[in-house]
Amino acid sequence: METTLRGVGVSHGVAIGEVRHMGTAVLEPPAKQIPAEEAEREQGRARQAVEAVAADLIARGNLAGGEAQAVLEAQAMMAQDPELMADVERRITVGSTAERGVYDAFAAYRALLAGAGEYLAGRVADLDDVRNRIVARLLGVPMPGVPDSDEPYVLIARDLAPADTALLDPALVLGFVTEEGGPTSHSAILARALGVPAVVAMPGAGELAEGIVVAVDGSTGEVFVEPSADKRASLEQAAAARKAALAASSGPGATSDGHKVPLLANVGGPADVPAAVEAGAEGVGLFRTEFLFLDDSQRAPSEEKQVEAYRKVLEAFPEGRVVVRVLDAGADKPLDFLTPGDEPNPALGVRGLRSLLDHPDVLRTQLTALAKAAEGLPVYLEVMAPMVADRIDAKAFADACREAGLQAKFGAMVEIPSAALRARSILQEVEFLSLGTNDLAQYTFAADRQVGAVSRLQDPWQPALLDLVAASAEAAKAEGKSCGVCGEAAADPLLACVLTGLGVTSLSMGAASIPYVRAALAKHTLAQCERAAAAARAADSAQEARVAAQAVLSGE
């Protein structure tokens, strides 16, 4: 009998197939004491396992490339965290085995952060995955992972670690559903990059029977269990219509009445450029430069290395717009040479621009490298700072850009509610705004991006978040300047129409989402988008906002 479950749709498309569950294993080692003379040997075992897991994660990242590479390299850094390793060795010294020392050290770290209400420095799924990989290696048991199957299937998991998501084979994994996670989790972002339909934060996912047929709608977040023939036909028809609309859509982003909305790509480095070019991106709206800094947590990359990497991206978009975000370190992306190690709550501490202003040499080197990389190229370079709180921050960044001799537009990211509320003040110092809706939602609703239990508050359709987007766009229009969106909200075709109606001037997203957004905009006039935006803001919940906007745009 057909039943319908609902989670959060995070990657477009429809997948219909049999359920296969992610393999699980008991990875809690026995608590037994070892004699003191074995402590040094056990400590050596622990260090070897940590290094082997870090090397495996880096190798997986090299194989996956693109955005996944930066994610997995960050996980490798987590495995090698010196404070965690020191705790492991201390526990072994007082009698724990290597595997028990690792297990307990990670558990203590996790509990400490959760108890302090912290935005976890190691994202929950990532932290648990690193622990499991180290313990599995020490126990000599296989890591639980993607099931073996000769036939395509829908993957069901409690959560998916980046190491698993990055190497999914789209030819076998038709789509996936997780019980935990959120719309801005690493797995959700990587699913969009792979083009695999996905639904996260769906209660009861683990109870779906092995082998049962489900239909996953990654756009609506619905999962149909044992769908009827009629339901399967309607979903397949809708998917075919969507595919036809994508094929018919090309060229610059614009509404049906010609209002231009440049569609840009979010990239993590040169490896992401080919997909962006193939999708018809009109430039880069968010060039995350963190990937360069993850190779070595002890020191920043040289100016020469930075120039080489930046120029590869800039050369790919001649006469296009490339918006570079300077290093965004801290919170979930700690770097030993830059971020404090003893903050009680790093997400609310010294991160983003704050870290760079505390280390002006790091900022100066990056800005100088960007200036050199752009020399002689016809690209329109724009550089923005993360985590800008007010006009003082904006001025400090603009001054640093000018001192470095950077010939580019300077901008500020709007990720903190104060920046949205005081956007006109900030725009006295910079030339554009870019809304990072992932962090803006997190800080607006006090809702950790990685905690499935608060996923409804991370929903970019929340009317309060739309109000902040509108405030920023209105301020930019009043100042005659631009205001784009580079958060995951831009990847939702329906929401992209609403953002356009709110006055946003450009949209940046993962390359795989660009054709969907282009097709959606081409179906509606600017006036329709404005009416949909007004209807969404008048709602009292994210779900009501989505339904209201859909009703306007479908002519109901």
Side-chain angles (χ1 to χ4, degrees):
M1 181 179 176
E2 181 182 315
T3 57
T4 304
L5 303 175
R6 180 178 287 278
V8 179
V10 295
S11 184
H12 308 301
V14 172
I16 302 175
E18 292 186 0
V19 162
R20 294 286 183 273
H21 284 267
M22 175 73 87
T24 58
V26 177
L27 291 178
E28 180 174 357
K32 64 179 182 180
Q33 290 291 108
I34 60 169
E37 59 267 23
E38 293 184 16
E40 186 174 346
R41 179 178 67 86
E42 290 295 290
Q43 288 173 341
R45 286 182 66 227
R47 285 192 294 271
Q48 288 174 0
V50 165
E51 291 306 316
V53 166
D56 177 63
L57 289 168
I58 290 171
R60 285 170 176 258
N62 290 336
L63 185 61
E67 192 161 14
Q69 185 171 2
V71 171
L72 294 178
E73 287 178 349
Q75 241 191 323
M77 287 174 56
M78 186 187 300
Q80 298 169 304
D81 183 276
E83 291 186 18
L84 262 175
M85 197 62 222
D87 190 22
V88 170
E89 295 188 346
R90 181 188 63 78
R91 291 171 187 275
I92 293 173
T93 300
V94 296
S96 287
T97 61
E99 47 266 40
R100 190 71 206 190
V102 168
Y103 185 88
D104 289 341
F106 272 78
Y109 183 51
R110 196 179 195 276
L112 176 67
L113 296 179
E118 169 132 14
Y119 174 77
L120 297 179
R123 300 171 180 236
V124 176
D126 303 19
L127 183 68
D128 290 346
D129 182 60
V130 169
R131 178 202 63 203
N132 287 344
R133 289 178 187 278
I134 298 171
V135 171
R137 183 170 287 272
L138 288 165
L139 289 174
V141 301
M143 248 313 278
V146 177
D148 290 328
S149 176
D150 295 329
E151 298 296 326
Y153 59 89
V154 173
L155 180 62
I156 308 294
R158 180 170 175 268
D159 205 344
L160 279 173
D164 294 315
T165 313
L167 298 182
L168 289 179
D169 181 357
L172 281 177
V173 181
L174 301 172
F176 69 76
V177 180
T178 65
E179 197 153 359
E180 298 187 355
T184 58
S185 66
H186 277 151
S187 291
I189 293 169
L190 293 178
R192 285 188 283 272
L194 288 167
V196 177
V199 173
V200 302
M202 194 188 85
E207 298 170 15
L208 292 170
E210 186 84 4
I212 198 170
V213 174
V214 296
V216 179
D217 190 330
S219 300
T220 65
E222 293 173 307
V223 175
F224 304 95
V225 183
E226 294 187 300
S228 65
D230 287 346
K231 174 59 71 176
R232 293 178 68 155
S234 68
L235 287 170
E236 288 168 351
Q237 185 177 1
R242 190 178 297 141
K243 186 175 181 179
L246 294 180
S249 175
S250 62
T255 59
S256 62
D257 56 340
H259 175 74
K260 293 182 179 180
V261 186
L263 302 181
L264 313 171
N266 294 344
V267 304
D272 289 342
V273 168
V277 173
E278 184 179 352
E282 298 168 60
V284 172
L286 173 61
F287 179 4
R288 302 181 180 95
T289 58
E290 292 79 55
F291 82 102
L292 265 177
F293 292 78
L294 294 174
D295 291 339
D296 187 347
S297 67
Q298 303 299 319
R299 63 185 63 83
S302 67
E303 181 182 304
E304 292 74 19
K305 183 177 180 181
Q306 291 189 54
V307 170
E308 181 184 2
Y310 301 151
R311 193 168 180 89
K312 287 179 181 177
V313 176
L314 297 177
E315 286 175 337
F317 295 95
E319 300 185 14
R321 177 186 179 200
V322 175
V323 184
V324 179
R325 180 177 70 190
V326 293
L327 176 61
D328 185 13
D332 65 326
K333 293 170 285 190
L335 292 170
D336 294 343
F337 69 88
L338 195 68
T339 48
D342 56 353
E343 289 187 300
N345 194 336
L348 302 180
V350 183
R351 64 167 294 196
L353 179 62
R354 300 167 187 176
S355 294
L356 292 174
L357 293 178
D358 279 353
H359 297 80
D361 54 324
V362 175
L363 177 59
R364 187 181 310 110
T365 298
Q366 185 170 26
L367 294 174
T368 301
L370 284 166
K372 290 183 177 180
E375 283 179 2
L377 296 179
V379 68
Y380 295 96
L381 177 63
E382 302 184 11
V383 183
M384 63 185 180
M387 300 303 293
V388 170
D390 57 15
R391 183 173 179 174
I392 293 173
D393 280 351
K395 184 178 188 303
F397 177 65
D399 287 346
C401 290
R402 282 187 283 267
E403 287 169 11
L406 192 61
Q407 299 298 310
K409 285 187 175 182
F410 317 140
M413 291 198 71
V414 177
E415 301 165 285
I416 304 173
S418 64
L421 295 170
R422 299 288 294 171
R424 287 197 74 169
S425 173
I426 288 171
L427 284 165
Q428 304 311 303
E429 305 294 341
V430 296
E431 297 172 81
F432 69 93
L433 301 177
S434 183
L435 288 140
T437 52
N438 307 350
D439 269 324
L440 185 58
Q442 173 176 260
Y443 289 123
T444 299
F445 297 102
D448 190 320
R449 292 166 54 174
Q450 300 305 308
V451 178
V454 293
S455 62
R456 77 171 184 86
L457 296 173
Q458 301 154 3
D459 193 324
W461 281 93
Q462 283 285 353
L465 187 66
L466 299 180
D467 287 344
L468 292 175
V469 172
S472 303
E474 289 165 5
K477 183 177 181 179
E479 294 295 326
K481 297 180 178 179
S482 63
C483 176
V485 168
C486 64
E488 291 302 314
D492 179 337
L494 180 61
L495 185 51
C497 295
V498 167
L499 294 173
T500 299
L502 292 174
V504 165
T505 55
S506 66
L507 299 166
S508 188
M509 65 211 75
S513 298
I514 290 175
Y516 291 93
V517 172
R518 182 191 292 119
L521 286 172
K523 290 166 56 179
H524 306 291
T525 65
L526 176 60
Q528 286 175 312
C529 292
E530 290 172 340
R531 288 197 296 273
R537 288 183 67 189
D540 291 320
S541 71
Q543 180 60 19
E544 289 176 8
R546 186 183 288 106
V547 170
Q550 180 67 66
V552 170
L553 294 177
S554 61
E556 296 176 5

